[in-house]
DNA sequence: GTTCTCACA
DNA sequence: TGTGAGAA
């Protein structure tokens, strides 16, 4: 159980780190997915031997990755913002990059809504036609 | 349990 | 954007 919920005294003394399974459990991810994010350059955990050790900072990055995914951002887009964050860039540059990404995302979503509206209109028209023809042939053979 | 790599959708 | 399988 990660320290975000409760911090036992012994964990307060040790520099807290997380294993890949702890993070996977906490965020309902597979360990494979977490390693995949690392392959894509979104995470860079320390190692104890060959085992990955995640600091609270890496955990925060993972949270940000998940937030980006909820917004429909690509991993590449998420990586860009994360890089600014890690490089200690100004919050301003991060926010500007985020706005840029959100803008692109909004355009895509709005286009999809338009496309959906077009299909809904087609469906409505077809339904109307079907009902009309049913009524016309109501008593006939 | 965790690592990596290759294949696959 | 991930998953499955196999080997270490």
């Amino acid at each position: 159980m990660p320290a975000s919920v409760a911090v036992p005294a012994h964990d307060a003394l040790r520099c807290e780190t997380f294993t890949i399974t702890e993070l996977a459990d906490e965020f309902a991810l597979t360990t494979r997915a977490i390693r995949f994010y690392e392959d894509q350059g979104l995470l860079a955990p320390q190692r104890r031997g060959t085992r990955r050790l995640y600091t609270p900072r890496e955990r925060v990055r993972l949270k940000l990755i998940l937030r980006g995914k909820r917004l429909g951002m690509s991993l590449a887009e998420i990586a860009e913002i994360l890089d600014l964050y890690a490089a200690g860039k100004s919050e301003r540059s991060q926010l500007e990059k985020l706005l840029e990404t959100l803008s692109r995302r909004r355009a895509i979503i709005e286009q999809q809504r338009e496309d959906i509206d077009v299909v809904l209109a087609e469906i409505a028209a077809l339904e109307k036609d079907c009902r009309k023809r049913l009524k016309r042939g109501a008593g006939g053979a």
Side-chain angles (χ1 to χ4, degrees):
Chain A
M1 176 90 50
S4 60
V5 177
V7 181
H10 65 279
D11 275 348
L13 290 180
R14 96 171 201 252
C15 185
E16 55 178 340
T17 56
F18 307 88
T19 66
I20 193 170
T21 43
E22 283 171 346
L23 290 186
D25 289 345
E26 178 180 0
F27 296 109
L29 296 168
T30 61
T31 56
R32 307 274 282 96
I34 295 176
R35 290 191 204 101
F36 180 72
Y37 298 154
E38 179 179 342
D39 282 342
Q40 301 304 303
L42 283 81
L43 292 173
Q46 302 174 347
R47 300 281 181 149
R48 177 180 49 195
T50 65
R51 305 294 167 85
R52 293 167 172 82
L53 267 192
Y54 298 85
T55 63
R57 189 174 179 81
E58 290 297 305
R59 186 169 162 276
V60 167
R61 286 175 64 90
L62 185 52
K63 273 191 173 181
L64 292 175
I65 291 169
L66 267 19
R67 187 191 68 175
K69 280 168 54 66
R70 282 197 303 276
L71 294 174
M73 294 167 57
S74 69
L75 293 183
E77 288 172 329
I78 295 171
E80 282 193 64
I81 294 173
L82 245 33
D83 287 346
L84 294 179
Y85 180 75
K89 294 293 186 180
S90 68
E91 185 181 26
R92 176 182 183 84
S93 66
Q94 291 175 47
L95 293 178
E96 285 171 344
K97 174 67 74 177
L98 180 55
L99 275 176
E100 193 181 301
T101 302
L102 291 177
S103 173
R104 275 198 302 274
R105 183 62 187 156
R106 171 189 295 280
I108 290 172
I109 298 274
E110 287 178 346
Q111 179 61 59
Q112 287 176 338
R113 180 164 61 188
E114 272 189 50
D115 294 344
I116 287 173
D117 285 343
V118 167
V119 175
L120 284 176
E122 282 185 30
I123 288 175
L126 185 54
E127 285 175 332
K128 185 178 179 181
D129 185 55
C130 288
R131 295 208 174 85
K132 187 176 72 182
R133 294 166 69 171
L134 278 176
K135 191 183 294 182
R136 193 176 62 204

